[in-house]
Amino acid sequence: MCDVIYEDNHLLVAVKPQNVPVQLDSSNDEDFLTILKNYLKKEHNKPGNVYLGLVHRLDRPTGGVMVFAKTSKCAERLTNQIKNREIEKTYFAVLNGVPKDRRGRLTNYLKKNEKENTVSIVPQFSEGAKEAILDYEILDSKNGKSLVKINLETGRSHQIRVQMAGINCSVVGDQKYGEEKEKCKLALFSVQIKLIHPVSKKVYTFRVPPPYDEYPWNMFNVSKYLLL
């Protein structure tokens, strides 16, 4: 439940399991932030409260690599990198259908319904609309499904799921935005984060694979594309 792949005095990088909330929500299910704080308390024998800065999020059903700040100063610097679009976030997804263009950029305006916890594509000047931009590339396709690599330029709630559904290629396993009959985990995974270390200023790349052996990932040779 706590797969830490990198840690120093400033950063903690870990793999969030699918269907675990990033932070405590109304479900009161165990959340990833608390799991990691408990890890730090135990690993470093720290009494009392442990600081761990949450600088970005993943939807509950999405798994994959996340970076956290161990100091407030690092949290501020990472947040600024995200605002300035200096952090590169790459996802793999398996889609129902095959986008008509092998590579493409999707730009939409999204609005969240907080009460329903849903997001929809709306006209640009709608009240509360936020710009959402992503680039995608088809890596492989078979049996009416496609494996795609997605680079997020913005980080809106449910962004990839909504934008892909908007081109009639919903993410496999998406019960919320797809006409989904298959009961499998959401086929969306954060496979890579590239950032500038907030203290050393070196460029770090953290990469993890999606669950190779699970459907629908096992339809494709995912490892072949992970170094792209």
Side-chain angles (χ1 to χ4, degrees):
M1 204 73 171
C2 187
D3 186 4
V4 174
I5 61 173
Y6 178 82
E7 183 183 357
D8 61 21
N9 290 332
H10 315 285
L11 299 179
L12 179 70
V13 184
V15 183
K16 185 182 94 65
Q18 292 186 266
N19 299 318
V20 171
V22 169
Q23 63 182 146
L24 192 65
D25 61 18
S26 58
S27 71
N28 282 322
D29 292 337
E30 189 174 35
D31 64 283
F32 198 40
L33 191 61
T34 299
I35 290 168
L36 292 176
K37 284 182 177 182
N38 288 336
Y39 157 81
L40 289 172
K41 285 181 76 167
K42 184 177 179 182
E43 188 73 11
H44 302 290
N45 196 25
K46 289 191 172 186
N49 291 329
V50 172
Y51 178 85
L52 193 61
L54 179 63
V55 296
H56 71 113
R57 300 170 188 274
L58 290 178
D59 295 345
R60 180 172 181 145
T62 305
V65 63
M66 291 188 71
V67 60
F68 297 83
K70 291 177 69 176
T71 69
S72 58
K73 191 68 178 175
C74 287
E76 181 185 344
R77 290 174 179 174
L78 289 172
T79 299
N80 285 335
Q81 282 189 48
I82 291 170
K83 284 181 181 175
N84 296 330
R85 300 181 182 178
E86 295 170 339
I87 290 183
E88 297 178 20
K89 293 181 279 187
T90 303
Y91 295 73
F92 278 8
V94 181
L95 307 179
N96 291 303
V98 182
K100 62 182 181 67
D101 297 318
R102 180 170 178 78
R103 298 174 186 231
R105 167 167 277 219
L106 301 181
T107 301
N108 298 106
Y109 290 85
L110 306 183
K111 183 174 182 178
K112 185 168 187 178
N113 182 327
E114 297 288 351
K115 191 174 181 180
E116 301 291 334
N117 192 30
T118 57
V119 175
S120 54
I121 295 173
V122 297
Q124 178 177 354
F125 297 109
S126 302
E127 184 181 353
K130 294 182 178 179
E131 186 178 42
I133 304 170
L134 64 77
D135 296 305
Y136 73 83
E137 177 185 358
I138 301 170
L139 301 175
D140 197 1
S141 59
K142 63 174 66 172
N143 300 333
K145 290 183 169 52
S146 52
L147 174 68
V148 297
K149 178 173 74 168
I150 296 163
N151 291 315
L152 276 185
E153 189 163 317
T154 57
R156 308 303 181 197
S157 182
H158 302 184
Q159 177 179 338
I160 293 172
R161 298 160 66 188
V162 174
Q163 288 192 278
M164 288 302 169
I167 60 168
N168 299 314
C169 292
S170 62
V171 178
V172 174
D174 195 344
Q175 309 295 327
K176 189 176 292 246
Y177 298 107
E179 296 179 7
E180 196 57 61
K181 298 182 177 68
E182 296 177 292
K183 299 294 184 183
C184 62
K185 290 180 183 176
L186 183 73
L188 176 62
F189 210 81
S190 169
V191 296
Q192 181 175 292
I193 290 180
K194 186 176 181 181
L195 55 82
I196 302 165
H197 193 284
V199 176
S200 72
K201 306 304 180 187
K202 292 180 180 178
V203 176
Y204 280 64
T205 301
F206 303 103
R207 186 181 295 120
V208 297
Y212 289 132
D213 54 347
E214 294 181 11
Y215 177 84
W217 302 104
N218 59 10
M219 293 177 60
F220 304 97
N221 184 6
V222 177
S223 59
K224 175 182 174 183
Y225 303 103
L226 256 184
L227 297 179
L228 293 181

